[in-house]
Amino acid sequence: EDKVVQSPLSLVVHEGDTVTLNCSYEVTNFRSLLWYKQEKKAPTFLFMLTSSGIEKKSGRLSSILDKKELFSILNITATQTGDSAVYLCAVEYRNTGNQFYFGTGTSLTVIP
Amino acid sequence: KAGVTQTPRYLIKTRGQQVTLSCSPISGHRSVSWYQQTPGQGLQFLFEYFSETQRNKGNFPGRFSGRQFSNSRSEMNVSTLELGDSALYLCASSLAGGGNYTFGSGTRLTVV
């Protein structure tokens, strides 16, 4: 059965800490892996990863994919209170069209 | 440019009723996907529409249906509502399906 598992489920850190969020997957016909940030309602896109070993970076956030070991990590350095959110990992696979499996998310709380 | 617009934002219905939710994608986007988000299950894929055709369907009962119009706007219908249908329903659009989806803010449905 296809699945996407995120860990940890929740995390509380202090401002300035570095965090690593994990996403492992078992999905046939893998196409890409995406990270989203969900603060209130609408998840907002962070990264899309398709190739192993190539780091994507945006400011203090970075992510990398390992297609051999079937996982991805999302790193956030020098965390700020504005980073508090649920981080969602989604794996896109090709069926007759395109479809995603989402993990249940990691809830990150950054305290001052 | 305008984002993905979902209406209504909030909805309260009683068991047994039916409900229709609306999603207007970003202009030019032809793929629209629907997701159900609950605290325990995370985001679960309902269906994807592309050019007025349903390309993919998740594992939901037939009470959940949808359609897409020629202007790419999409509607989702749930008949014979059950308490367990209470959730945040998110719509996401992309140019042709796959990759970076843009999510709407969702419709919060409460069934009492």
Side-chain angles (χ1 to χ4, degrees), chain A residues 13-21 37 39 46-47 55-63 73-85 87 108 110:
Chain A
V13 301
H14 288 94
E15 268 191 319
D17 287 350
T18 293
V19 297
T20 298
L21 311 183
K37 176 183 181 183
E39 291 179 83
L46 294 175
F47 299 110
E55 185 183 52
K56 292 279 184 90
K57 197 169 170 64
S58 175
R60 297 177 293 101
L61 278 67
S62 64
S63 184
I73 60 172
L74 174 68
N75 279 317
I76 308 175
T77 59
T79 51
Q80 302 171 357
T81 54
D83 295 326
S84 296
Y87 291 83
L108 173 65
V110 181

Side-chain angles (χ1 to χ4, degrees), chain A residues 23-84:
Chain A
C23 176
S24 64
Y25 63 92
E26 293 178 32
V27 176
T28 52
N29 298 318
F30 173 92
R31 179 177 169 140
S32 66
L33 186 145
L34 291 84
W35 285 96
Y36 285 87
K37 176 183 181 183
Q38 186 175 27
E39 291 179 83
K40 288 182 180 178
K41 284 192 176 178
T44 54
F45 172 80
L46 294 175
F47 299 110
M48 182 171 77
L49 304 155
T50 55
S51 301
S52 276
I54 299 175
E55 185 183 52
K56 292 279 184 90
K57 197 169 170 64
S58 175
R60 297 177 293 101
L61 278 67
S62 64
S63 184
I64 197 162
L65 173 67
D66 186 328
K67 290 169 74 173
K68 182 180 177 185
E69 300 297 329
L70 307 182
F71 76 91
S72 173
I73 60 172
L74 174 68
N75 279 317
I76 308 175
T77 59
T79 51
Q80 302 171 357
T81 54
D83 295 326
S84 296

Side-chain angles (χ1 to χ4, degrees), chain B residues 21-72:
Chain B
L21 312 181
S22 178
C23 172
S24 294
I26 289 174
S27 178
H29 283 193
R30 296 167 63 191
S31 170
V32 174
S33 294
W34 288 88
Y35 291 85
Q36 181 195 66
Q37 187 174 31
T38 57
Q41 298 292 321
L43 269 89
Q44 292 189 285
F45 173 77
L46 282 155
F47 23 68
E48 182 213 4
Y49 285 88
F50 181 81
S51 294
E52 302 179 66
T53 301
Q54 186 182 88
R55 283 204 299 197
N56 277 297
K57 191 175 191 304
N59 295 324
F60 278 81
R63 301 184 295 106
F64 291 82
S65 63
R67 59 178 175 168
Q68 187 180 34
F69 302 95
S70 58
N71 61 358
S72 293

Side-chain angles (χ1 to χ4, degrees), chain A residues 31-32 34 36 38 40-45 48 86 88 92-105, chain B residues 9-10 35 37 40-43 45 48 55-58 88 90 96-101 103-106 108:
Chain A
R31 179 177 169 140
S32 66
L34 291 84
Y36 285 87
Q38 186 175 27
K40 288 182 180 178
K41 284 192 176 178
T44 54
F45 172 80
M48 182 171 77
V86 173
L88 298 167
E92 180 187 16
Y93 67 97
R94 181 172 289 280
N95 193 5
T96 53
N98 293 298
Q99 203 163 329
F100 290 84
Y101 285 122
F102 275 82
T104 51
Chain B
R9 296 290 300 274
Y10 302 92
Y35 291 85
Q37 187 174 31
Q41 298 292 321
L43 269 89
F45 173 77
E48 182 213 4
R55 283 204 299 197
N56 277 297
K57 191 175 191 304
L88 178 66
L90 290 163
N100 177 6
Y101 273 90
F103 281 85
S105 294
R108 171 76 63 186

